[in-house]
Amino acid sequence: MSISDYVDALGEATGHGWGFLGAYGLTWLVCAALWLRSSPRVAAYATLFQGMVAFPLALGFTALTPGPERPSLPGMDSLAILLSSGQLLALPLVIYLVARGRYTLVPFAMVIVLVVHFAPYSWLYGTPLYLVMGAVVSLGAVVATASSHRSDADGSAVGAGRVCLTAGVVLLVSAATAWSL
């Protein structure tokens, strides 16, 4: 099996990653609600740790995806793990923001992690969807932040919630798009 064949088969077997997009979209929406309904501290911690809920949910969604078995090609599983673990390198920065009480910056930092993390999946799943999704999330986060009324130097909880809402909605739309490919 060639790499090109593997990419095609992986996209077909996983619905082009719809399960991950959908699960993370849901957890980002929960974070958006927390930014509106709880303290910035609680919402920041939820935003930081939302992946701990989204990841197993994504694996479950992917397991329920109809289609052929996930393909196997030597080296590709290692590459997929490397792509997945790259986001962990940015978490110390986000942890620092939480530890220093810069709560409203956490969603913006996590969106940067999300965009950079998902970009290589355009290649892995053989679709430009992930690049388009990343661009829309990135621009949406800027607009959401800029459109909020700033109450302090770091922005506001409203802006942070809008960033989470933007990410969640774009991820869910992307999940539906991936499913339909």
Side-chain angles (χ1 to χ4, degrees):
M1 172 181 284
S2 71
I3 291 177
S4 179
D5 292 338
Y6 175 86
V7 166
D8 291 341
L10 181 66
E12 187 177 339
T14 63
H16 299 279
W18 82 271
F20 282 84
L21 295 167
Y24 281 85
L26 291 173
T27 58
W28 276 94
L29 290 181
V30 168
C31 291
L34 287 172
W35 279 101
L36 295 174
R37 306 257 184 234
S38 66
S39 71
R41 182 174 186 230
V42 168
Y45 273 100
T47 305
L48 172 62
F49 291 114
Q50 54 90 21
M52 293 178 69
V53 174
F55 185 71
L57 185 61
L59 292 175
F61 286 168
T62 302
L64 297 174
T65 303
E69 291 291 316
R70 183 182 173 105
S72 180
L73 183 66
M76 292 304 287
D77 287 340
S78 297
L79 176 62
I81 291 169
L82 183 62
L83 291 175
S84 298
S85 62
Q87 66 187 326
L88 299 175
L89 300 174
L91 290 181
L93 169 66
V94 183
I95 291 168
Y96 174 80
L97 292 173
V98 171
R100 300 296 292 176
R102 309 288 297 270
Y103 303 129
T104 58
L105 291 177
V106 169
F108 204 77
M110 289 296 290
V111 158
I112 294 167
V113 172
L114 177 144
V115 169
V116 171
H117 166 69
F118 274 128
Y121 287 89
S122 276
W123 174 80
L124 188 64
Y125 290 122
T127 174
L129 172 66
Y130 290 86
L131 293 175
V132 172
M133 183 246 347
V136 173
V137 167
S138 182
L139 293 172
V142 169
V143 170
T145 300
S147 68
S148 66
H149 298 293
R150 295 177 60 124
S151 60
D152 59 10
D154 296 336
S156 70
V158 171
R162 287 179 182 173
V163 169
C164 292
L165 178 64
T166 299
V169 168
V170 172
L171 284 166
L172 288 177
V173 169
S174 298
T177 303
W179 178 266
S180 69
L181 293 176

